[in-house]
Amino acid sequence: MTASSPMGISRPQVKSLDEILPREPLLMMGAGPVPIPECVAKANSVVINHLGGAMAQVIHQVKAMARYVFQTESKWVLGVAGPASAAMEMAVSNLMQQGETILCVNNGFFSHRMAEMATRIGADVHELHVPVLEAADPELVRKAIEKVRPKVLTLVQGETSNTVFNHSLEEIAKIAKSYGCLVVVDAVCTLSTMPLKMDEWQIDVVITGGQKGLSSIPGVSLLVFSDDAWATVKSRTQPVAQWCFDAQLAENFWHKDGYHYTAPVSGIMALHEALKLVCDETLEQRFARHLRCSKALQAGVQGMGLNLFIPAESRLNSVVGITIPEGLTASDICRHISDVYRVEIAGSFGQPIVRIGQMGEQCREHNLFRTLHALGSTMRDLGVKVDQPNGMAEMESYLQSVPRIISQVA
């Protein structure tokens, strides 16, 4: 309905957020965004001058903390106002020029996205397609590099869409560097959940979003360029077509206390607090927490009688893929578990799976128990025979077998 207005355009009648949002909040256990800690939510309410001295201090600390999380000494940390795909586009559009060759290792929906972006800027795009249930094979990547001779190689550490883990990332990156390639890694669902050592593994650009492993809000993303990658950015012969994603313009804000566009102030504040929580916990303890919780969840899912989609050797721990039982669809499961048990899990992009996230705040024991119980109850409600008590017991048994690490802030 609309109300009449002397201005000619009728004034809309809208619902308040209180009327739209569920009265009982959903537990966000899908593939992202994830639950955020209270301090991150509080920081997201702060607005200050985006060009003032306080903001300069915040940016300085964000960059310092990012270097720890990315495991790099590179100066060239940049943020972007947008999702992780915006950081992805910043990387591709700044490294590539029209006609230059890029090789994209395609594990699925998201790893193909960088090929799509490169195509739009007129690059010579080649893809190495990896079978759905497998991780990228270093020797097949080597052969593709020898055939194509790309300027840039892109790949994901974890393919969120089908829950595959490229466990040979370090080896692949070093192979690519031996051929003179710039290596771009999508760590959107993996950064801070598992080891990634940008400098030691010879990676040139790492991309991530705030809303997954870092447990920050969607809409502010990070990427880091190596010195080699930054030299490529600075030696471009043509300007970047996307003004907002021009890394040399972004340098004004992120490294010169200057102006590019109005920065997403509140989102940067939230990201600052999220990164500080990672640093306080330490990467080692954070990796251990993520591994313990994900393995426990996987044990519980299998103990219930459900199947994990990816074989163990190539299985991603930060997003767990569960094969949909015959006769059901992802929407059947996701709708029921949300409506009845107030737990949000995710469908997929073309694969017969539902996905449960194990990133950041999702990896807490109380969230595991609520989620697994809701999943088992949903399956029973929808007519699938599962052994729910055994699944819960298997998860508890795994948790008891692996000691919990108690974080101690220095």
Side-chain angles (χ1 to χ4, degrees), residues 302-320:
Q302 291 180 306
M304 202 175 283
L306 298 172
N307 296 318
L308 299 173
F309 185 60
I310 300 297
E313 62 272 14
S314 302
R315 185 181 302 149
L316 184 61
N317 288 326
S318 56
V319 184
V320 177

Side-chain angles (χ1 to χ4, degrees), residues 88 92 95-97 99-107 110-119 121-130 136-156 166 169 172-173 175-177 179-186 204-205 207:
M88 211 181 278
V92 172
L95 294 180
M96 302 297 300
Q97 297 189 80
E100 293 180 331
T101 303
I102 185 170
L103 175 61
C104 302
V105 179
N106 185 339
N107 289 94
F110 291 106
S111 43
H112 173 64
R113 184 167 290 178
M114 283 194 273
E116 291 184 274
M117 292 172 175
T119 298
I121 62 174
D124 177 22
V125 180
H126 299 260
E127 292 187 81
L128 175 62
H129 292 270
V130 180
D137 183 323
E139 288 309 310
L140 292 180
V141 176
R142 182 193 299 275
K143 290 178 182 178
I145 291 172
E146 290 177 346
K147 179 180 178 181
V148 173
R149 296 290 173 170
K151 174 184 178 181
V152 172
L153 175 83
T154 71
L155 72 161
V156 296
N166 278 327
L169 171 60
I172 291 170
I175 289 171
K177 288 299 288 182
Y179 287 89
C181 301
L182 293 171
V183 180
V184 178
V185 172
D186 169 347
D204 290 291
V205 182
I207 299 154

Side-chain angles (χ1 to χ4, degrees), residues 32-356:
V34 307
I36 61 175
E38 183 179 355
C39 65
V40 174
K42 182 179 179 181
N44 192 45
S45 69
V46 175
V47 178
I48 61 172
N49 179 4
H50 71 292
L51 297 177
M55 182 55 117
Q57 291 183 56
V58 170
I59 293 298
H60 175 76
Q61 293 197 161
V62 165
K63 291 186 296 184
M65 292 186 289
R67 291 185 187 102
Y68 169 68
V69 176
F70 285 78
Q71 287 292 284
T72 182
E73 294 182 357
S74 173
K75 172 182 177 180
W76 303 112
V77 179
L78 296 176
V80 58
S85 293
M88 211 181 278
E89 191 144 31
M90 179 180 270
V92 172
S93 61
N94 281 272
L95 294 180
M96 302 297 300
Q97 297 189 80
Q98 189 171 9
E100 293 180 331
T101 303
I102 185 170
L103 175 61
C104 302
V105 179
N106 185 339
N107 289 94
F109 185 86
F110 291 106
S111 43
H112 173 64
R113 184 167 290 178
M114 283 194 273
E116 291 184 274
M117 292 172 175
T119 298
R120 292 185 178 215
I121 62 174
D124 177 22
V125 180
H126 299 260
E127 292 187 81
L128 175 62
H129 292 270
V130 180
V132 171
L133 302 180
E134 299 177 14
D137 183 323
E139 288 309 310
L140 292 180
V141 176
R142 182 193 299 275
K143 290 178 182 178
I145 291 172
E146 290 177 346
K147 179 180 178 181
V148 173
R149 296 290 173 170
K151 174 184 178 181
V152 172
L153 175 83
T154 71
L155 72 161
V156 296
Q157 185 174 31
E159 175 55 60
T160 317
S161 68
N162 60 18
T163 67
V164 163
F165 170 44
N166 278 327
H167 50 74
S168 298
L169 171 60
E170 178 183 1
E171 183 179 355
I172 291 170
K174 289 179 177 179
I175 289 171
K177 288 299 288 182
S178 74
Y179 287 89
C181 301
L182 293 171
V183 180
V184 178
V185 172
D186 169 347
V188 174
C189 74
T190 56
L191 192 78
S192 87
T193 76
M194 62 182 64
L196 187 148
K197 299 179 180 181
M198 180 175 171
D199 288 358
E200 185 177 320
W201 296 359
Q202 299 179 28
I203 300 170
D204 290 291
V205 182
V206 178
I207 299 154
T208 201
Q211 78 280 11
K212 298 201 179 193
L214 298 179
S215 283
S216 188
I217 66 162
V220 180
S221 302
L222 287 172
L223 69 166
V224 184
F225 292 84
S226 70
D227 287 340
D228 285 349
W230 192 253
T232 299
V233 170
K234 299 295 281 187
S235 64
R236 291 181 62 89
T237 58
Q238 297 292 327
V240 174
Q242 300 92 339
W243 185 91
C244 282
F245 297 150
D246 187 327
Q248 295 186 70
L249 296 179
E251 181 188 3
N252 290 332
F253 177 76
W254 284 88
H255 292 276
K256 298 179 180 179
D257 297 337
Y259 178 71
H260 179 200
Y261 50 70
T262 302
V265 173
S266 302
I268 292 172
M269 298 294 171
L271 183 62
H272 178 282
E273 292 305 282
L275 287 167
K276 186 174 186 303
L277 289 176
V278 176
C279 293
D280 288 346
E281 184 175 12
T282 76
L283 287 176
E284 293 78 9
Q285 294 194 26
R286 195 172 181 88
F287 296 156
R289 172 166 64 85
H290 278 81
L291 183 62
R292 177 176 180 266
C293 286
S294 182
K295 291 290 190 182
L297 176 64
Q298 292 172 46
V301 169
Q302 291 180 306
M304 202 175 283
L306 298 172
N307 296 318
L308 299 173
F309 185 60
I310 300 297
E313 62 272 14
S314 302
R315 185 181 302 149
L316 184 61
N317 288 326
S318 56
V319 184
V320 177
I322 302 163
T323 302
I324 297 171
E326 188 175 352
L328 295 181
T329 66
S331 60
D332 293 334
I333 298 166
C334 294
R335 187 184 307 112
H336 190 89
I337 197 172
S338 175
D339 290 347
V340 178
Y341 298 102
R342 316 308 294 158
V343 173
E344 190 100 339
I345 64 173
S348 186
F349 296 87
Q351 301 304 326
I353 59 175
V354 292
R355 297 172 298 154
I356 298 178

